Amino acid sequence: MRVTILLFCLLVSGCSPKKGTLLNQNTELLHAKKFGISPEKTLTVYEPFQGSKSPQIISLNNPDGISIPVKRVVCTSTSQLHFLELLDETDKLVGFPTLNFISSELIQDKTEKGSIVDLGKDAALNIEQLIKLKPDIVVAYSISNDLRQWERIERLGIQVVFDASYLEPTPLAQAEWIKFFGFLLGKEKAADSVFNKIEKSYQEVLEMANRKGSRPTVIGGSLYNGTWFMPGGNSWVASYIRDAGGNYLWSHLDQMGSSALTFETVYEHGRNADIWIGATAYGSISSILQSDERFGFFQSVIDSNVFSPTKRITKNGGNDYYESGVARPDLVLKDLVKMLHPEVIPDYELVYFKNLKY
C-alpha cells in the first residue's frame, strides 16, 4: 500500500531541514526548507500544502514507493515546467491540465505534435485520460487541505508527489526545487550545476543593488473589485524588493501570503511611494486613472513608475513570469534592480515586467 501523507512530523529532524542539509553525496540544500531527501532514499515534503502539519513521506526504489529515475511525468502547474526544460527532460512530460496556458515554445511544440495530453482543468483532472497515460508520478500542488482529487488518483495506483515550492519564503529557495525534480528524474548533478549558476547570477545582481545607498520606497499588489491584495512582509515578493535595494512599505506584515486591504489604507500609507510593482490588474496608466481618479495622487502613477509582471503573456493568457520566472529568480531580480536603480544597468531590457505607460 502506498503511504504518503503521514499523521506526524519527523521526530528527529523536525518539519523542515536545516540550511546545508545533505541530500546525498552530490547534492546539498542551501535555501529550500520544504523538502528533503534522506541518505536512505526517502523523499519528504515537509508542508505539502499551506498550514499542513503532516509531511508527505515517500520511499524510493522499493515496491511501495517510486522507482527512480521516473520516465513518465504529469505536472499540474506551469511553475514546474521550466525545471524540466532546464534539465532537458521535457520528453518525460506526458500530461498537463490546460495546455494553452503554457508559455514555453518547446513544450508548446510538443503539445501540438500530440506528445503531451491535455488533462482538462487542474481542479478537476480528466481521470480517464490520466489512467491511459500510465504516469510514474503526478506532481501535484494544493493551496488547501482539500486533497480528495489527489487521494482518488492514489487509490488508482498512481503516485502523487506534492510540489510545495510556492511556500518557500525566498526566490532562491523556490528555484532550488530544481534539485527535487533532478532527483526524481535522475539528473541530480545537472540540477546542482544549473542551480549553482542561477544562485551565482542572483548573488552578482544582489551585489550590484547593494552598491546603491538609496532605497526607493515601494508598494506592491493590485486592486481587484475594491480590495487591494498586498503581499506580506515574509513573501517572496517582499524578498525580491529587499534584495533589489527597495524599501517595501508593507514589510511589517508578518505573513507569506497577501493581506486584503482597503483602497483608503493603501492610499494613506502608500500614495507617496516612489514605485508601484505588481499592478497586474491594469494595462496602462490611463486605465489606472479611469478605474479611480484618486490614483492621480499616487506619486508612482504621477511619475509613471508603475510596473506589471505581464510582459510575456501568451495569446491564451499564460504568463511566463509564473513559469520560467520561478526557476530563474536571477532574471526577475535583475528586472527589479532595473526598476529601482535603472542607472546600475542602463542598457538592460526588462524580461518579465513592463513599465505601464499612458
Side-chain angles (χ1 to χ4, degrees):
M1 177 180 294
R2 297 173 188 268
V3 179
T4 55
I5 302 295
L6 301 187
L7 300 179
F8 54 87
C9 287
L10 298 182
L11 297 178
V12 177
S13 59
C15 288
S16 63
K18 297 178 181 179
K19 183 175 180 180
T21 297
L22 185 65
L23 299 186
N24 51 61
Q25 61 182 353
N26 297 317
T27 306
E28 187 179 35
L29 284 180
L30 301 175
H31 304 274
K33 304 295 184 184
K34 299 301 181 180
F35 80 97
I37 302 169
S38 74
E40 294 76 26
K41 304 298 184 182
T42 297
L43 170 66
T44 302
V45 181
Y46 294 97
E47 190 178 359
F49 55 89
Q50 191 165 15
S52 171
K53 303 300 182 183
S54 304
Q56 179 186 39
I57 302 177
I58 300 173
S59 297
L60 307 175
N61 286 335
N62 67 52
D64 293 326
I66 303 172
S67 179
I68 57 172
V70 295
K71 295 180 173 58
R72 297 177 64 79
V73 179
V74 166
C75 289
T76 57
S77 170
T78 56
S79 63
Q80 299 158 359
L81 299 179
H82 200 62
F83 291 125
L84 301 186
E85 195 163 340
L86 288 173
L87 294 172
D88 194 25
E89 292 288 346
T90 55
D91 286 344
K92 292 184 177 178
L93 181 66
V94 296
F96 188 83
T98 321
L99 289 176
N100 57 3
F101 281 162
I102 294 174
S103 297
S104 166
E105 293 182 3
L106 175 64
I107 298 179
Q108 282 181 350
D109 182 60
K110 292 180 183 296
T111 66
E112 291 172 2
K113 293 177 179 177
S115 59
I116 303 173
V117 175
D118 194 321
L119 293 172
K121 296 182 179 180
D122 58 352
L125 294 180
N126 186 323
I127 302 298
E128 291 183 1
Q129 285 280 16
L130 181 64
I131 294 172
K132 291 178 182 178
L133 288 176
K134 297 181 179 179
D136 296 318
I137 61 170
V138 173
V139 184
Y141 77 96
S142 179
I143 58 175
S144 73
N145 61 359
D146 184 0
L147 306 179
R148 286 174 294 179
Q149 174 174 251
W150 309 121
E151 291 169 349
R152 180 187 177 193
I153 291 171
E154 287 210 318
R155 286 196 297 269
L156 294 170
I158 300 172
Q159 180 67 68
V160 173
V161 183
F162 280 94
D163 164 18
S165 58
Y166 76 98
L167 293 173
E168 298 284 2
T170 69
L172 281 177
Q174 286 187 317
E176 198 170 20
W177 276 69
I178 192 173
K179 298 177 182 180
F180 169 91
F181 288 93
F183 189 84
L184 291 172
L185 295 165
K187 300 291 286 285
E188 298 167 72
K189 290 184 179 180
D192 203 43
S193 176
V194 171
F195 178 76
N196 287 343
K197 292 176 182 177
I198 292 171
E199 182 187 40
K200 180 181 178 183
S201 175
Y202 191 96
Q203 295 297 339
E204 289 172 350
V205 179
L206 180 63
E207 289 175 8
M208 285 193 297
N210 286 339
R211 294 193 194 113
K212 302 298 297 182
S214 61
R215 298 185 71 85
T217 50
V218 181
I219 59 174
S222 202
L223 191 70
Y224 293 94
N225 297 322
T227 300
W228 198 305
F229 294 94
M230 190 69 67
N234 298 329
S235 66
W236 49 267
V237 173
S239 180
Y240 266 131
I241 294 171
R242 181 173 58 251
D243 286 354
N247 175 17
Y248 182 45
L249 294 182
W250 268 267
S251 60
H252 60 279
L253 292 177
D254 187 22
Q255 62 190 66
M256 287 185 59
S258 295
S259 282
L261 306 178
T262 64
F263 181 96
E264 289 72 21
T265 298
V266 179
Y267 179 85
E268 180 180 356
H269 190 55
R271 69 179 181 275
N272 294 321
D274 299 309
I275 298 174
W276 176 8
I277 295 173
T280 54
Y282 310 98
S284 66
I285 296 294
S286 298
S287 64
I288 293 175
L289 295 172
Q290 288 170 6
S291 69
D292 194 313
E293 62 183 14
R294 290 175 295 177
F295 275 120
F297 296 101
F298 279 65
Q299 193 62 48
S300 57
V301 175
I302 294 171
D303 296 337
S304 293
N305 278 332
V306 182
F307 297 87
S308 172
T310 52
K311 185 175 181 180
R312 300 174 70 156
I313 297 287
T314 69
K315 62 181 180 180
N316 296 313
N319 189 339
D320 198 33
Y321 174 69
Y322 299 110
E323 188 171 320
S324 70
V326 175
R328 292 300 308 272
D330 54 325
L331 297 181
V332 176
L333 182 64
K334 206 166 186 179
D335 272 13
L336 267 74
V337 171
K338 175 65 175 181
M339 294 179 241
L340 295 169
H341 303 288
E343 69 282 3
V344 173
I345 39 177
D347 298 324
Y348 176 76
E349 183 177 342
L350 296 176
V351 175
Y352 298 106
F353 286 80
K354 64 180 181 181
N355 188 185
L356 299 189
K357 304 294 184 180
Y358 281 90

